[in-house]
Amino acid sequence: MKTLVILISGRGSNMQSLLDADLNVDRRVVISNNPDAEGLRIAQRYGVETFVINHRQFPDRQTFDAALAEKMAIFQPKLIALAGFMRVLTDEFVQRYQDRLINIHPSLLPAFPGLSTHARALREGVKIHGCTVHFVTPQLDHGPIIIQAAISVLPQDTEASLSQRVLQQEHRIFPQAVRWFIDGQLKLTNGVVEINNASTSNITLYSPGLAE
Ligand code: GRF
């Protein structure tokens, strides 16, 4: 049985993109560390099994991750997708699931790891911003990159407008990365991801555009 485990902490829009996607899995399971996560209600509407492992009920990261690992031992996931999961996992957990643990991050890594990526992008004046799906490694937001989407930063952009346009792209690249993984099209060699049969069109994004 191929099980996809999706870990969430909040809104759950990336989770929803994985629930909507046509994926070759037998079972999708959603786990939240936050009992109030809006995503839990969405998952329930989809009729997906949901579980809460409330991090506040554990004295430290190690014991929380041990409880999470216990659940993984039951589900034996083919893949664990971090979809807005806001807990930093212990090195031990990450190492154990390293080659089947992926994350969606709202920046073009390695730029802007961590939080508040859109505000930081605006502050730095970058003209191109975006999102990344990557394998998770012990170093936060630094694992091998699977796919990225880039968008132009517009002069009138605010944190909210930027985050909204990036999120639309997150919802496109996350299901794509998961599908590649599930279908066995991703190969990880020395920390670099190779994708079987991926389109290799060469597109240049100018931002702002070149003068005519
Ligand atoms: C997304 O921007 C994701 O990239 C980041 O946290 C946000 C979660 O949004 N890690 P949602 O819960 O998927 O709607």
Side-chain angles (χ1 to χ4, degrees):
M1 162 125 81
K2 271 192 202 163
T3 301
L4 168 66
V5 171
I6 307 169
L7 301 187
I8 63 165
S9 296
R11 183 177 54 186
S13 71
N14 278 292
M15 170 209 74
Q16 191 169 356
S17 76
L18 299 184
L19 299 184
D20 283 331
D22 183 15
L23 300 171
N24 184 18
V25 292
D26 305 301
R27 186 186 191 191
R28 298 173 217 217
V29 173
V30 171
I31 302 177
S32 174
N33 65 299
N34 167 14
D36 302 320
E38 216 183 300
L40 284 171
R41 289 198 294 276
I42 299 173
Q44 281 152 8
R45 279 211 306 275
Y46 276 72
V48 168
E49 293 168 82
T50 60
F51 298 88
V52 173
I53 305 177
N54 185 347
H55 69 277
R56 291 201 178 81
Q57 290 173 348
F58 295 86
D60 52 33
R61 225 175 267 293
Q62 278 70 25
T63 50
F64 170 76
D65 281 13
L68 204 54
E70 222 173 273
K71 272 269 183 274
M72 297 307 150
I74 300 168
F75 298 131
Q76 297 286 320
K78 170 92 180 157
L79 177 67
I80 304 168
L82 306 184
F85 184 65
M86 302 308 283
R87 302 292 302 165
V88 175
L89 295 162
T90 53
D91 289 3
E92 203 188 346
F93 186 95
V94 170
Q95 271 150 9
R96 185 149 160 202
Y97 293 102
Q98 187 146 283
D99 50 358
R100 48 188 164 132
L101 186 56
I102 67 174
N103 180 46
I104 176 89
H105 182 78
S107 78
L108 290 173
L109 291 173
F112 311 123
L115 298 174
S116 309
T117 54
H118 308 305
R120 285 155 65 207
L122 286 174
R123 217 178 301 130
E124 293 293 341
V126 299
K127 305 298 186 205
I128 295 175
H129 185 46
C131 47
T132 303
V133 181
H134 64 98
F135 281 99
V136 176
T137 54
Q139 195 183 356
L140 190 69
D141 298 332
H142 269 88
I145 292 173
I146 300 169
I147 182 170
Q148 297 185 300
I151 61 159
S152 311
V153 179
L154 306 174
Q156 67 272 25
D157 261 327
T158 60
E159 198 179 336
S161 66
L162 202 51
S163 117
Q164 196 217 339
R165 288 210 312 291
V166 170
L167 192 64
Q168 283 173 3
Q169 298 309 319
E170 294 183 35
H171 297 162
R172 300 194 68 178
I173 65 171
F174 206 21
Q176 172 67 84
V178 169
R179 193 171 306 115
W180 278 331
F181 184 95
I182 297 288
D183 293 345
Q185 286 184 265
L186 293 186
K187 203 169 116 203
L188 192 53
T189 317
N190 299 326
V192 175
V193 175
E194 279 173 54
I195 304 162
N196 229 349
N197 293 326
S199 149
T200 52
S201 52
N202 177 12
I203 296 162
T204 306
L205 168 62
Y206 295 98
S207 177
L210 298 177
E212 290 297 300

